mmCIF file of all heavy atoms in Angstrom:
data_model
loop_
_atom_site.group_PDB
_atom_site.id
_atom_site.type_symbol
_atom_site.label_atom_id
_atom_site.label_comp_id
_atom_site.label_asym_id
_atom_site.label_seq_id
_atom_site.Cartn_x
_atom_site.Cartn_y
_atom_site.Cartn_z
ATOM 1 N N SER A 61 -9.111 32.613 16.001
ATOM 2 C CA SER A 61 -9.475 31.426 15.224
ATOM 3 C C SER A 61 -8.209 30.793 14.636
ATOM 4 O O SER A 61 -7.283 31.496 14.220
ATOM 5 C CB SER A 61 -10.422 31.797 14.086
ATOM 6 O OG SER A 61 -11.603 32.348 14.604
ATOM 7 N N ARG A 62 -8.205 29.474 14.576
ATOM 8 C CA ARG A 62 -7.072 28.739 14.015
ATOM 9 C C ARG A 62 -7.564 27.733 12.983
ATOM 10 O O ARG A 62 -8.698 27.277 13.046
ATOM 11 C CB ARG A 62 -6.321 27.992 15.110
ATOM 12 C CG ARG A 62 -5.594 28.902 16.060
ATOM 13 C CD ARG A 62 -4.845 28.119 17.093
ATOM 14 N NE ARG A 62 -3.980 29.002 17.853
ATOM 15 C CZ ARG A 62 -3.161 28.602 18.776
ATOM 16 N NH1 ARG A 62 -3.078 27.313 19.064
ATOM 17 N NH2 ARG A 62 -2.410 29.453 19.426
ATOM 18 N N THR A 63 -6.691 27.394 12.074
ATOM 19 C CA THR A 63 -6.990 26.374 11.078
ATOM 20 C C THR A 63 -6.088 25.182 11.361
ATOM 21 O O THR A 63 -4.895 25.350 11.638
ATOM 22 C CB THR A 63 -6.727 26.908 9.650
ATOM 23 O OG1 THR A 63 -7.537 28.064 9.450
ATOM 24 C CG2 THR A 63 -7.048 25.853 8.612
ATOM 25 N N TYR A 64 -6.670 23.992 11.275
ATOM 26 C CA TYR A 64 -5.926 22.757 11.529
ATOM 27 C C TYR A 64 -6.050 21.820 10.327
ATOM 28 O O TYR A 64 -7.051 21.827 9.623
ATOM 29 C CB TYR A 64 -6.476 22.034 12.762
ATOM 30 C CG TYR A 64 -6.260 22.784 14.046
ATOM 31 C CD1 TYR A 64 -7.192 23.704 14.506
ATOM 32 C CD2 TYR A 64 -5.112 22.564 14.790
ATOM 33 C CE1 TYR A 64 -6.989 24.389 15.688
ATOM 34 C CE2 TYR A 64 -4.904 23.246 15.978
ATOM 35 C CZ TYR A 64 -5.839 24.161 16.425
ATOM 36 O OH TYR A 64 -5.624 24.843 17.593
ATOM 37 N N VAL A 65 -5.019 21.022 10.143
ATOM 38 C CA VAL A 65 -5.018 19.962 9.139
ATOM 39 C C VAL A 65 -4.690 18.672 9.884
ATOM 40 O O VAL A 65 -3.767 18.640 10.703
ATOM 41 C CB VAL A 65 -3.964 20.229 8.039
ATOM 42 C CG1 VAL A 65 -3.930 19.093 7.033
ATOM 43 C CG2 VAL A 65 -4.232 21.563 7.352
ATOM 44 N N ALA A 66 -5.440 17.622 9.618
ATOM 45 C CA ALA A 66 -5.185 16.338 10.273
ATOM 46 C C ALA A 66 -3.841 15.782 9.813
ATOM 47 O O ALA A 66 -3.508 15.831 8.627
ATOM 48 C CB ALA A 66 -6.299 15.346 9.952
ATOM 49 N N SER A 67 -3.064 15.240 10.744
ATOM 50 C CA SER A 67 -1.763 14.662 10.395
ATOM 51 C C SER A 67 -1.934 13.526 9.381
ATOM 52 O O SER A 67 -1.057 13.292 8.551
ATOM 53 C CB SER A 67 -1.029 14.167 11.642
ATOM 54 O OG SER A 67 -1.754 13.145 12.291
ATOM 55 N N ARG A 68 -3.070 12.851 9.418
ATOM 56 C CA ARG A 68 -3.351 11.792 8.446
ATOM 57 C C ARG A 68 -3.407 12.355 7.020
ATOM 58 O O ARG A 68 -2.946 11.733 6.072
ATOM 59 C CB ARG A 68 -4.667 11.103 8.793
ATOM 60 C CG ARG A 68 -5.022 9.955 7.868
ATOM 61 C CD ARG A 68 -6.264 9.210 8.309
ATOM 62 N NE ARG A 68 -5.952 8.427 9.490
ATOM 63 C CZ ARG A 68 -6.681 8.414 10.600
ATOM 64 N NH1 ARG A 68 -7.782 9.118 10.679
ATOM 65 N NH2 ARG A 68 -6.335 7.677 11.624
ATOM 66 N N VAL A 69 -3.947 13.561 6.877
ATOM 67 C CA VAL A 69 -4.018 14.219 5.566
ATOM 68 C C VAL A 69 -2.612 14.585 5.092
ATOM 69 O O VAL A 69 -2.259 14.369 3.934
ATOM 70 C CB VAL A 69 -4.925 15.464 5.632
ATOM 71 C CG1 VAL A 69 -4.826 16.297 4.363
ATOM 72 C CG2 VAL A 69 -6.362 15.059 5.913
ATOM 73 N N VAL A 70 -1.792 15.109 5.991
ATOM 74 C CA VAL A 70 -0.418 15.479 5.635
ATOM 75 C C VAL A 70 0.356 14.233 5.206
ATOM 76 O O VAL A 70 1.008 14.211 4.160
ATOM 77 C CB VAL A 70 0.291 16.183 6.807
ATOM 78 C CG1 VAL A 70 1.750 16.483 6.462
ATOM 79 C CG2 VAL A 70 -0.444 17.457 7.207
ATOM 80 N N ARG A 71 0.261 13.179 5.999
ATOM 81 C CA ARG A 71 0.973 11.924 5.690
ATOM 82 C C ARG A 71 0.497 11.346 4.357
ATOM 83 O O ARG A 71 1.301 10.912 3.534
ATOM 84 C CB ARG A 71 0.761 10.905 6.811
ATOM 85 C CG ARG A 71 1.618 9.664 6.666
ATOM 86 C CD ARG A 71 1.426 8.674 7.805
ATOM 87 N NE ARG A 71 1.934 9.204 9.052
ATOM 88 C CZ ARG A 71 1.179 9.623 10.071
ATOM 89 N NH1 ARG A 71 -0.132 9.570 9.998
ATOM 90 N NH2 ARG A 71 1.719 10.081 11.178
ATOM 91 N N SER A 72 -0.796 11.366 4.121
ATOM 92 C CA SER A 72 -1.353 10.835 2.878
ATOM 93 C C SER A 72 -0.861 11.633 1.674
ATOM 94 O O SER A 72 -0.483 11.060 0.646
ATOM 95 C CB SER A 72 -2.880 10.868 2.944
ATOM 96 O OG SER A 72 -3.431 10.501 1.723
ATOM 97 N N ARG A 73 -0.853 12.946 1.798
ATOM 98 C CA ARG A 73 -0.387 13.801 0.689
ATOM 99 C C ARG A 73 1.100 13.552 0.416
ATOM 100 O O ARG A 73 1.518 13.505 -0.742
ATOM 101 C CB ARG A 73 -0.647 15.268 1.037
ATOM 102 C CG ARG A 73 -0.179 16.233 -0.010
ATOM 103 C CD ARG A 73 -0.970 16.090 -1.310
ATOM 104 N NE ARG A 73 -0.457 17.001 -2.294
ATOM 105 C CZ ARG A 73 0.358 16.657 -3.289
ATOM 106 N NH1 ARG A 73 0.725 15.419 -3.442
ATOM 107 N NH2 ARG A 73 0.804 17.558 -4.138
ATOM 108 N N LEU A 74 1.892 13.398 1.461
ATOM 109 C CA LEU A 74 3.317 13.113 1.284
ATOM 110 C C LEU A 74 3.512 11.757 0.609
ATOM 111 O O LEU A 74 4.304 11.630 -0.330
ATOM 112 C CB LEU A 74 4.048 13.135 2.631
ATOM 113 C CG LEU A 74 4.214 14.511 3.276
ATOM 114 C CD1 LEU A 74 4.766 14.371 4.688
ATOM 115 C CD2 LEU A 74 5.100 15.409 2.427
ATOM 116 N N ARG A 75 2.785 10.742 1.069
ATOM 117 C CA ARG A 75 2.923 9.407 0.481
ATOM 118 C C ARG A 75 2.537 9.421 -0.998
ATOM 119 O O ARG A 75 3.197 8.820 -1.834
ATOM 120 C CB ARG A 75 2.069 8.394 1.243
ATOM 121 C CG ARG A 75 2.263 6.959 0.751
ATOM 122 C CD ARG A 75 1.696 5.935 1.682
ATOM 123 N NE ARG A 75 2.261 5.933 2.996
ATOM 124 C CZ ARG A 75 3.461 5.464 3.335
ATOM 125 N NH1 ARG A 75 4.252 4.991 2.401
ATOM 126 N NH2 ARG A 75 3.882 5.484 4.565
ATOM 127 N N GLU A 76 1.475 10.141 -1.322
ATOM 128 C CA GLU A 76 1.022 10.240 -2.721
ATOM 129 C C GLU A 76 2.090 10.912 -3.590
ATOM 130 O O GLU A 76 2.442 10.423 -4.665
ATOM 131 C CB GLU A 76 -0.279 11.038 -2.776
ATOM 132 C CG GLU A 76 -0.787 11.316 -4.163
ATOM 133 C CD GLU A 76 -1.970 12.275 -4.129
ATOM 134 O OE1 GLU A 76 -2.872 12.091 -3.297
ATOM 135 O OE2 GLU A 76 -1.969 13.225 -4.946
ATOM 136 N N ALA A 77 2.615 12.031 -3.137
ATOM 137 C CA ALA A 77 3.596 12.777 -3.927
ATOM 138 C C ALA A 77 4.930 12.040 -4.037
ATOM 139 O O ALA A 77 5.557 12.030 -5.096
ATOM 140 C CB ALA A 77 3.819 14.156 -3.317
ATOM 141 N N LEU A 78 5.359 11.415 -2.953
ATOM 142 C CA LEU A 78 6.656 10.738 -2.949
ATOM 143 C C LEU A 78 6.601 9.355 -3.581
ATOM 144 O O LEU A 78 7.641 8.788 -3.914
ATOM 145 C CB LEU A 78 7.184 10.620 -1.518
ATOM 146 C CG LEU A 78 7.445 11.943 -0.801
ATOM 147 C CD1 LEU A 78 7.835 11.680 0.652
ATOM 148 C CD2 LEU A 78 8.496 12.767 -1.511
ATOM 149 N N GLY A 79 5.407 8.807 -3.766
ATOM 150 C CA GLY A 79 5.271 7.457 -4.303
ATOM 151 C C GLY A 79 5.174 7.384 -5.810
ATOM 152 O O GLY A 79 4.915 6.316 -6.355
ATOM 153 N N ARG A 80 5.408 8.472 -6.499
ATOM 154 C CA ARG A 80 5.265 8.503 -7.955
ATOM 155 C C ARG A 80 6.512 8.046 -8.705
ATOM 156 O O ARG A 80 6.442 7.698 -9.868
ATOM 157 C CB ARG A 80 4.908 9.909 -8.409
ATOM 158 C CG ARG A 80 3.551 10.346 -7.934
ATOM 159 C CD ARG A 80 3.223 11.737 -8.402
ATOM 160 N NE ARG A 80 1.923 12.131 -7.877
ATOM 161 C CZ ARG A 80 1.577 13.377 -7.664
ATOM 162 N NH1 ARG A 80 2.403 14.356 -7.949
ATOM 163 N NH2 ARG A 80 0.386 13.648 -7.179
ATOM 164 N N SER A 81 7.648 8.061 -8.047
ATOM 165 C CA SER A 81 8.915 7.776 -8.717
ATOM 166 C C SER A 81 9.229 6.279 -8.714
ATOM 167 O O SER A 81 8.999 5.587 -7.729
ATOM 168 C CB SER A 81 10.045 8.526 -8.004
ATOM 169 O OG SER A 81 11.296 8.090 -8.466
ATOM 170 N N ALA A 82 9.798 5.801 -9.807
ATOM 171 C CA ALA A 82 10.238 4.404 -9.883
ATOM 172 C C ALA A 82 11.598 4.233 -9.222
ATOM 173 O O ALA A 82 12.037 3.106 -8.977
ATOM 174 C CB ALA A 82 10.319 3.959 -11.343
ATOM 175 N N ASP A 83 12.277 5.353 -8.903
ATOM 176 C CA ASP A 83 13.624 5.298 -8.330
ATOM 177 C C ASP A 83 13.654 5.383 -6.814
ATOM 178 O O ASP A 83 14.594 4.901 -6.186
ATOM 179 C CB ASP A 83 14.481 6.430 -8.890
ATOM 180 C CG ASP A 83 14.709 6.291 -10.378
ATOM 181 O OD1 ASP A 83 14.747 5.156 -10.866
ATOM 182 O OD2 ASP A 83 14.842 7.328 -11.056
ATOM 183 N N ALA A 84 12.657 6.013 -6.211
ATOM 184 C CA ALA A 84 12.648 6.183 -4.754
ATOM 185 C C ALA A 84 11.214 6.326 -4.275
ATOM 186 O O ALA A 84 10.421 7.048 -4.891
ATOM 187 C CB ALA A 84 13.459 7.408 -4.349
ATOM 188 N N THR A 85 10.896 5.640 -3.194
ATOM 189 C CA THR A 85 9.544 5.726 -2.637
ATOM 190 C C THR A 85 9.628 5.597 -1.116
ATOM 191 O O THR A 85 10.531 4.936 -0.596
ATOM 192 C CB THR A 85 8.622 4.632 -3.228
ATOM 193 O OG1 THR A 85 7.268 4.938 -2.914
ATOM 194 C CG2 THR A 85 8.959 3.258 -2.710
ATOM 195 N N PRO A 86 8.718 6.226 -0.388
ATOM 196 C CA PRO A 86 8.780 6.142 1.068
ATOM 197 C C PRO A 86 8.287 4.784 1.574
ATOM 198 O O PRO A 86 7.299 4.248 1.080
ATOM 199 C CB PRO A 86 7.850 7.258 1.532
ATOM 200 C CG PRO A 86 6.876 7.418 0.419
ATOM 201 C CD PRO A 86 7.634 7.104 -0.833
ATOM 202 N N GLU A 87 9.015 4.248 2.526
ATOM 203 C CA GLU A 87 8.568 3.037 3.213
ATOM 204 C C GLU A 87 7.839 3.430 4.496
ATOM 205 O O GLU A 87 6.892 2.778 4.905
ATOM 206 C CB GLU A 87 9.766 2.150 3.542
ATOM 207 C CG GLU A 87 9.378 0.877 4.248
ATOM 208 C CD GLU A 87 10.557 -0.019 4.508
ATOM 209 O OE1 GLU A 87 11.640 0.488 4.825
ATOM 210 O OE2 GLU A 87 10.382 -1.236 4.395
ATOM 211 N N ARG A 88 8.311 4.510 5.118
ATOM 212 C CA ARG A 88 7.714 4.987 6.372
ATOM 213 C C ARG A 88 7.730 6.501 6.363
ATOM 214 O O ARG A 88 8.704 7.115 5.953
ATOM 215 C CB ARG A 88 8.524 4.475 7.561
ATOM 216 C CG ARG A 88 8.006 4.915 8.910
ATOM 217 C CD ARG A 88 8.917 4.442 10.046
ATOM 218 N NE ARG A 88 10.217 5.068 10.023
ATOM 219 C CZ ARG A 88 10.529 6.201 10.673
ATOM 220 N NH1 ARG A 88 9.618 6.820 11.400
ATOM 221 N NH2 ARG A 88 11.738 6.719 10.592
ATOM 222 N N ILE A 89 6.618 7.091 6.810
ATOM 223 C CA ILE A 89 6.532 8.541 6.982
ATOM 224 C C ILE A 89 6.016 8.782 8.394
ATOM 225 O O ILE A 89 4.902 8.375 8.723
ATOM 226 C CB ILE A 89 5.579 9.191 5.950
ATOM 227 C CG1 ILE A 89 6.074 8.934 4.536
ATOM 228 C CG2 ILE A 89 5.428 10.679 6.236
ATOM 229 C CD1 ILE A 89 5.116 9.404 3.455
ATOM 230 N N ASP A 90 6.826 9.421 9.214
ATOM 231 C CA ASP A 90 6.432 9.745 10.584
ATOM 232 C C ASP A 90 6.385 11.255 10.761
ATOM 233 O O ASP A 90 7.308 11.960 10.334
ATOM 234 C CB ASP A 90 7.436 9.180 11.589
ATOM 235 C CG ASP A 90 6.993 7.872 12.189
ATOM 236 O OD1 ASP A 90 5.850 7.456 11.945
ATOM 237 O OD2 ASP A 90 7.796 7.262 12.915
#
Side-chain angles (χ1 to χ4, degrees):
S61 299
R62 291 181 171 183
T63 302
Y64 294 89
V65 178
S67 62
R68 182 175 288 131
V69 170
V70 176
R71 188 178 292 108
S72 174
R73 179 66 182 101
L74 289 172
R75 185 166 300 285
E76 175 188 315
L78 298 175
R80 294 180 182 153
S81 169
D83 295 329
T85 194
E87 180 177 38
R88 180 184 67 91
I89 299 174
D90 262 353

